[in-house]
mmCIF file of all heavy atoms in Angstrom:
data_model
loop_
_atom_site.group_PDB
_atom_site.id
_atom_site.type_symbol
_atom_site.label_atom_id
_atom_site.label_comp_id
_atom_site.label_asym_id
_atom_site.label_seq_id
_atom_site.Cartn_x
_atom_site.Cartn_y
_atom_site.Cartn_z
ATOM 1 N N GLY A 1 0.829 -1.152 0.035
ATOM 2 C CA GLY A 1 -0.035 0.019 0.015
ATOM 3 C C GLY A 1 0.841 1.276 -0.020
ATOM 4 O O GLY A 1 0.284 2.378 -0.119
ATOM 5 N N ILE A 2 2.113 1.180 0.154
ATOM 6 C CA ILE A 2 3.006 2.321 -0.039
ATOM 7 C C ILE A 2 3.064 2.763 -1.378
ATOM 8 O O ILE A 2 3.338 2.005 -2.281
ATOM 9 C CB ILE A 2 4.445 2.037 0.520
ATOM 10 C CG1 ILE A 2 4.448 1.695 2.055
ATOM 11 C CG2 ILE A 2 5.379 3.232 0.229
ATOM 12 C CD1 ILE A 2 5.853 1.272 2.483
ATOM 13 N N TYR A 3 2.616 4.012 -1.664
ATOM 14 C CA TYR A 3 2.613 4.552 -3.047
ATOM 15 C C TYR A 3 3.658 5.471 -3.334
ATOM 16 O O TYR A 3 3.893 5.816 -4.399
ATOM 17 C CB TYR A 3 1.242 5.157 -3.352
ATOM 18 C CG TYR A 3 0.926 6.498 -2.687
ATOM 19 C CD1 TYR A 3 1.414 7.680 -3.270
ATOM 20 C CD2 TYR A 3 0.289 6.538 -1.523
ATOM 21 C CE1 TYR A 3 1.112 8.836 -2.626
ATOM 22 C CE2 TYR A 3 -0.011 7.797 -0.857
ATOM 23 C CZ TYR A 3 0.499 8.927 -1.425
ATOM 24 O OH TYR A 3 0.198 10.174 -0.898
ATOM 25 N N ALA A 4 4.458 5.996 -2.295
ATOM 26 C CA ALA A 4 5.509 6.907 -2.445
ATOM 27 C C ALA A 4 6.441 6.820 -1.312
ATOM 28 O O ALA A 4 6.070 6.640 -0.173
ATOM 29 C CB ALA A 4 5.001 8.355 -2.737
ATOM 30 N N MET A 5 7.701 6.944 -1.577
ATOM 31 C CA MET A 5 8.758 7.029 -0.584
ATOM 32 C C MET A 5 9.672 8.205 -0.964
ATOM 33 O O MET A 5 9.809 8.565 -2.068
ATOM 34 C CB MET A 5 9.548 5.759 -0.453
ATOM 35 C CG MET A 5 8.829 4.588 0.029
ATOM 36 S SD MET A 5 9.912 3.108 0.312
ATOM 37 C CE MET A 5 10.868 3.737 1.780
ATOM 38 N N GLY A 6 10.213 8.786 0.123
ATOM 39 C CA GLY A 6 11.096 9.975 -0.148
ATOM 40 C C GLY A 6 11.948 10.379 0.923
ATOM 41 O O GLY A 6 11.953 9.672 2.004
ATOM 42 N N TRP A 7 12.561 11.512 0.744
ATOM 43 C CA TRP A 7 13.425 12.132 1.788
ATOM 44 C C TRP A 7 12.957 13.557 2.090
ATOM 45 O O TRP A 7 12.775 14.306 1.117
ATOM 46 C CB TRP A 7 14.858 12.017 1.337
ATOM 47 C CG TRP A 7 15.426 10.664 1.150
ATOM 48 C CD1 TRP A 7 15.438 9.893 0.025
ATOM 49 C CD2 TRP A 7 16.052 9.915 2.223
ATOM 50 N NE1 TRP A 7 15.980 8.683 0.294
ATOM 51 C CE2 TRP A 7 16.429 8.698 1.612
ATOM 52 C CE3 TRP A 7 16.467 10.142 3.615
ATOM 53 C CZ2 TRP A 7 17.045 7.711 2.321
ATOM 54 C CZ3 TRP A 7 17.018 9.179 4.259
ATOM 55 C CH2 TRP A 7 17.346 8.001 3.589
ATOM 56 N N TYR A 8 12.951 13.858 3.282
ATOM 57 C CA TYR A 8 12.803 15.148 3.854
ATOM 58 C C TYR A 8 13.977 15.660 4.700
ATOM 59 O O TYR A 8 14.783 14.738 5.096
ATOM 60 C CB TYR A 8 11.478 15.243 4.652
ATOM 61 C CG TYR A 8 10.214 15.220 3.888
ATOM 62 C CD1 TYR A 8 9.883 14.096 3.205
ATOM 63 C CD2 TYR A 8 9.400 16.301 3.754
ATOM 64 C CE1 TYR A 8 8.694 14.031 2.553
ATOM 65 C CE2 TYR A 8 8.152 16.227 3.112
ATOM 66 C CZ TYR A 8 7.875 15.111 2.509
ATOM 67 O OH TYR A 8 6.589 15.019 1.775
ATOM 68 N N ARG A 9 14.179 16.912 4.936
ATOM 69 C CA ARG A 9 15.312 17.322 5.749
ATOM 70 C C ARG A 9 14.788 18.464 6.672
ATOM 71 O O ARG A 9 13.899 19.260 6.307
ATOM 72 C CB ARG A 9 16.514 17.772 5.041
ATOM 73 C CG ARG A 9 16.357 18.978 4.103
ATOM 74 C CD ARG A 9 17.564 19.166 3.270
ATOM 75 N NE ARG A 9 17.486 20.324 2.389
ATOM 76 C CZ ARG A 9 18.394 20.579 1.513
ATOM 77 N NH1 ARG A 9 19.440 19.809 1.213
ATOM 78 N NH2 ARG A 9 18.239 21.755 0.814
ATOM 79 N N GLN A 10 15.485 18.554 7.795
ATOM 80 C CA GLN A 10 15.133 19.671 8.685
ATOM 81 C C GLN A 10 16.440 20.247 9.254
ATOM 82 O O GLN A 10 17.187 19.495 9.912
ATOM 83 C CB GLN A 10 14.208 19.229 9.812
ATOM 84 C CG GLN A 10 13.656 20.319 10.674
ATOM 85 C CD GLN A 10 12.552 19.851 11.580
ATOM 86 O OE1 GLN A 10 12.322 18.730 11.776
ATOM 87 N NE2 GLN A 10 11.795 20.927 12.091
ATOM 88 N N ALA A 11 16.753 21.502 8.938
ATOM 89 C CA ALA A 11 17.803 22.144 9.470
ATOM 90 C C ALA A 11 17.472 22.820 10.779
ATOM 91 O O ALA A 11 16.264 23.132 10.990
ATOM 92 C CB ALA A 11 18.359 23.184 8.464
ATOM 93 N N PRO A 12 18.398 23.153 11.649
ATOM 94 C CA PRO A 12 18.173 23.858 12.893
ATOM 95 C C PRO A 12 17.384 25.195 12.662
ATOM 96 O O PRO A 12 17.752 25.963 11.878
ATOM 97 C CB PRO A 12 19.410 24.109 13.501
ATOM 98 C CG PRO A 12 20.340 22.984 12.965
ATOM 99 C CD PRO A 12 19.852 22.793 11.580
ATOM 100 N N GLY A 13 16.188 25.267 13.403
ATOM 101 C CA GLY A 13 15.451 26.516 13.215
ATOM 102 C C GLY A 13 14.628 26.672 12.062
ATOM 103 O O GLY A 13 14.013 27.689 11.833
ATOM 104 N N LYS A 14 14.598 25.592 11.251
ATOM 105 C CA LYS A 14 13.785 25.615 10.043
ATOM 106 C C LYS A 14 12.738 24.543 9.946
ATOM 107 O O LYS A 14 12.875 23.555 10.723
ATOM 108 C CB LYS A 14 14.723 25.551 8.796
ATOM 109 C CG LYS A 14 15.648 26.634 8.659
ATOM 110 C CD LYS A 14 16.333 26.595 7.296
ATOM 111 C CE LYS A 14 17.299 27.782 7.090
ATOM 112 N NZ LYS A 14 18.009 27.676 5.720
ATOM 113 N N GLN A 15 11.776 24.628 9.066
ATOM 114 C CA GLN A 15 10.777 23.657 8.971
ATOM 115 C C GLN A 15 11.273 22.453 8.119
ATOM 116 O O GLN A 15 12.109 22.626 7.322
ATOM 117 C CB GLN A 15 9.551 24.174 8.264
ATOM 118 C CG GLN A 15 8.722 25.319 9.109
ATOM 119 C CD GLN A 15 7.387 25.693 8.488
ATOM 120 O OE1 GLN A 15 7.255 25.599 7.254
ATOM 121 N NE2 GLN A 15 6.499 26.026 9.342
ATOM 122 N N ARG A 16 10.663 21.330 8.327
ATOM 123 C CA ARG A 16 10.938 20.223 7.530
ATOM 124 C C ARG A 16 10.594 20.426 6.243
ATOM 125 O O ARG A 16 9.406 20.814 5.932
ATOM 126 C CB ARG A 16 10.343 18.945 8.139
ATOM 127 C CG ARG A 16 10.874 17.667 7.570
ATOM 128 C CD ARG A 16 10.259 16.351 8.285
ATOM 129 N NE ARG A 16 10.677 16.421 9.684
ATOM 130 C CZ ARG A 16 10.503 15.396 10.545
ATOM 131 N NH1 ARG A 16 9.870 14.287 10.129
ATOM 132 N NH2 ARG A 16 10.867 15.405 11.775
ATOM 133 N N GLU A 17 11.428 20.095 5.191
ATOM 134 C CA GLU A 17 11.067 20.265 3.741
ATOM 135 C C GLU A 17 11.386 19.093 2.955
ATOM 136 O O GLU A 17 12.239 18.186 3.271
ATOM 137 C CB GLU A 17 11.872 21.450 3.230
ATOM 138 C CG GLU A 17 13.361 21.163 3.261
ATOM 139 C CD GLU A 17 14.225 22.335 2.559
ATOM 140 O OE1 GLU A 17 13.628 23.317 2.140
ATOM 141 O OE2 GLU A 17 15.509 22.206 2.552
ATOM 142 N N LEU A 18 10.609 18.929 1.868
ATOM 143 C CA LEU A 18 10.769 17.840 0.862
ATOM 144 C C LEU A 18 12.207 18.018 0.188
ATOM 145 O O LEU A 18 12.449 19.125 -0.277
ATOM 146 C CB LEU A 18 9.661 17.797 -0.005
ATOM 147 C CG LEU A 18 9.856 16.751 -1.270
ATOM 148 C CD1 LEU A 18 9.729 15.364 -0.643
ATOM 149 C CD2 LEU A 18 8.827 17.003 -2.306
ATOM 150 N N VAL A 19 12.852 16.924 0.147
ATOM 151 C CA VAL A 19 14.156 16.883 -0.730
ATOM 152 C C VAL A 19 13.880 16.251 -2.008
ATOM 153 O O VAL A 19 14.071 16.814 -3.074
ATOM 154 C CB VAL A 19 15.229 16.189 -0.032
ATOM 155 C CG1 VAL A 19 16.489 16.121 -0.942
ATOM 156 C CG2 VAL A 19 15.590 16.880 1.315
ATOM 157 N N ALA A 20 13.312 15.034 -2.091
ATOM 158 C CA ALA A 20 12.995 14.260 -3.226
ATOM 159 C C ALA A 20 12.061 13.125 -2.897
ATOM 160 O O ALA A 20 12.174 12.692 -1.690
ATOM 161 C CB ALA A 20 14.272 13.673 -3.811
ATOM 162 N N ASP A 21 11.163 12.701 -3.725
ATOM 163 C CA ASP A 21 10.318 11.615 -3.571
ATOM 164 C C ASP A 21 10.111 10.831 -4.795
ATOM 165 O O ASP A 21 10.353 11.375 -5.901
ATOM 166 C CB ASP A 21 9.035 11.888 -2.824
ATOM 167 C CG ASP A 21 8.069 12.758 -3.580
ATOM 168 O OD1 ASP A 21 8.314 13.013 -4.801
ATOM 169 O OD2 ASP A 21 7.114 13.258 -2.995
ATOM 170 N N ILE A 22 9.737 9.630 -4.690
ATOM 171 C CA ILE A 22 9.496 8.805 -5.878
ATOM 172 C C ILE A 22 8.352 7.822 -5.602
ATOM 173 O O ILE A 22 8.049 7.301 -4.500
ATOM 174 C CB ILE A 22 10.767 7.888 -6.203
ATOM 175 C CG1 ILE A 22 10.640 6.932 -7.414
ATOM 176 C CG2 ILE A 22 11.115 6.981 -4.958
ATOM 177 C CD1 ILE A 22 11.900 6.342 -7.826
ATOM 178 N N THR A 23 7.418 7.801 -6.647
ATOM 179 C CA THR A 23 6.149 7.041 -6.474
ATOM 180 C C THR A 23 6.347 5.616 -6.952
ATOM 181 O O THR A 23 7.358 5.289 -7.565
ATOM 182 C CB THR A 23 5.064 7.667 -7.319
ATOM 183 O OG1 THR A 23 5.314 7.544 -8.621
ATOM 184 C CG2 THR A 23 4.928 9.194 -7.007
ATOM 185 N N SER A 24 5.454 4.794 -6.580
ATOM 186 C CA SER A 24 5.415 3.430 -7.057
ATOM 187 C C SER A 24 5.397 3.344 -8.585
ATOM 188 O O SER A 24 5.873 2.313 -9.221
ATOM 189 C CB SER A 24 4.304 2.564 -6.497
ATOM 190 O OG SER A 24 3.070 3.217 -6.804
ATOM 191 N N GLY A 25 4.929 4.331 -9.302
ATOM 192 C CA GLY A 25 4.858 4.367 -10.699
ATOM 193 C C GLY A 25 6.172 4.884 -11.309
ATOM 194 O O GLY A 25 6.350 4.952 -12.568
ATOM 195 N N GLY A 26 7.025 5.344 -10.455
ATOM 196 C CA GLY A 26 8.451 5.812 -10.937
ATOM 197 C C GLY A 26 8.441 7.320 -11.092
ATOM 198 O O GLY A 26 9.480 7.859 -11.500
#
């Protein structure tokens, strides 16, 4: 049931942000 996986990052004092993601469809 996982349709996407990815990476987020959070620097000190900043909000978590998307770095990259990839869906099950590529």
Side-chain angles (χ1 to χ4, degrees):
I2 294 175
Y3 71 87
M5 292 185 68
W7 293 93
Y8 287 67
R9 67 186 181 188
Q10 188 166 18
K14 295 188 176 181
Q15 290 189 332
R16 191 173 296 189
E17 62 176 2
L18 173 69
V19 177
D21 62 14
I22 182 168
T23 70
S24 56

